[in-house]
Amino acid sequence: MRPADLAREHGISTQAVRNYERDGFLPPAARTEAGYRVYTEVHAAALRAFLALVAAYGHATAGGVMVALHADDLDRALTLVDRGHAQLLRDRETLAAVRTAIGDLTSAPESRPAGPDSIGELAHRLGVTAATVRAWERAGILAPARDAATGYRVFSAADIRDAELTHLLRRGGYPLEHIATVVGQVRTAGGTSSLVKALETWRERLTARGVAMLDAAGVLSEYLRVRRPPPAR
């Protein structure tokens, strides 16, 4: 097969096929006396596997898996795949935790404090230090008012809601910059309904990624079979 034959199946350019071979995502191709590449069904299976892995795990992981396979390091390739599944599981667990927290915030307003909190009271409520709350404020996540007489921070019910979201997202491993964006969206919308919609979109993406991983597993397994068929009896 020629580069164009492989490219046509996936709607990509012949140069992309050459680049994938150059980068180690495809095994090296034989050459004719005139220097033209000659691809086989093994190369076609490798290209299918690589593109399926890209859809499931992203370009970097897909490339790492293929390079490891072509270096005969199957353990390294499988470790990269395992890490992708582990990340998907962490994302699912974080999504579930955030959805639970949003449900608590929206369905049980009576559980929130009726009056404002000081920074010490808020920190105690969340089980964090006052320094942590100040760090959230510096990151632009919290914007408490100040008592006119004392200058002390005063956290309203909305501030406490934002702090609870922040605490949860931090436990999920999210950086402060990302949390600031999420909390800002909630604050701008005047509640958590916008975040509920975002979480549903997030759930759909995770489901799609999980299905893509299942598809990629089958294609990758086929490539391993084609690349190293069982010995003839």
Side-chain angles (χ1 to χ4, degrees):
M1 287 184 278
R2 303 166 301 167
D5 298 323
L6 269 67
R8 188 178 304 110
E9 178 182 349
H10 303 283
I12 59 179
S13 68
T14 55
Q15 186 58 50
V17 175
R18 298 187 189 98
N19 291 345
Y20 294 156
E21 180 192 349
R22 177 201 64 198
D23 294 337
F25 306 156
L26 306 182
R31 298 272 186 158
T32 66
E33 292 184 0
Y36 294 114
R37 292 174 174 83
V38 178
Y39 291 124
T40 67
E41 179 54 37
V42 172
H43 296 91
L47 182 56
R48 295 184 196 108
F50 171 67
L51 294 178
L53 289 168
V54 169
Y57 302 95
H59 190 278
T61 297
V65 169
M66 300 304 290
V67 168
L69 288 178
H70 298 144
D72 292 323
D73 191 348
L74 180 59
D75 287 339
R76 169 64 178 166
L78 295 178
T79 296
L80 291 172
V81 171
D82 291 343
R83 287 177 181 168
H85 285 276
Q87 182 61 58
L88 178 61
L89 177 59
R90 286 194 298 270
D91 289 346
R92 287 191 182 281
E93 290 173 341
T94 300
L95 173 62
V98 173
R99 293 178 73 174
T100 298
I102 293 300
D104 293 341
L105 292 174
T106 56
S107 65
E110 65 279 1
S111 65
R112 300 178 206 153
D117 272 11
S118 68
I119 189 170
E121 290 168 334
L122 176 59
H124 178 73
R125 182 186 304 278
L126 298 177
V128 300
T129 65
T132 296
V133 177
R134 293 189 191 98
W136 296 347
E137 183 181 357
R138 287 195 300 271
I141 298 171
L142 304 179
R146 296 275 183 162
D147 185 278
T150 65
Y152 293 152
R153 297 171 180 83
V154 178
F155 294 87
S156 67
D159 295 323
I160 295 170
R161 176 203 65 200
D162 295 343
E164 289 172 341
L165 274 175
T166 301
H167 190 215
L168 177 68
L169 292 171
R170 284 298 283 167
R171 292 204 307 271
Y174 285 90
L176 292 179
E177 315 87 75
H178 178 81
I179 295 172
T181 300
V182 172
V183 172
Q185 292 172 344
V186 173
R187 190 182 300 125
T188 300
T192 56
S193 59
S194 62
L195 184 56
V196 170
K197 295 178 182 178
L199 293 178
E200 179 59 24
T201 300
W202 185 11
R203 183 196 63 78
E204 292 172 356
R205 287 201 303 266
L206 293 182
T207 298
R209 194 197 311 171
V211 172
M213 286 180 177
L214 290 176
D215 293 340
V219 180
L220 181 60
S221 178
E222 175 63 16
Y223 174 53
L224 293 176
R225 186 192 67 77
V226 171
R227 184 167 181 262
R228 292 188 174 182
R233 294 185 178 180

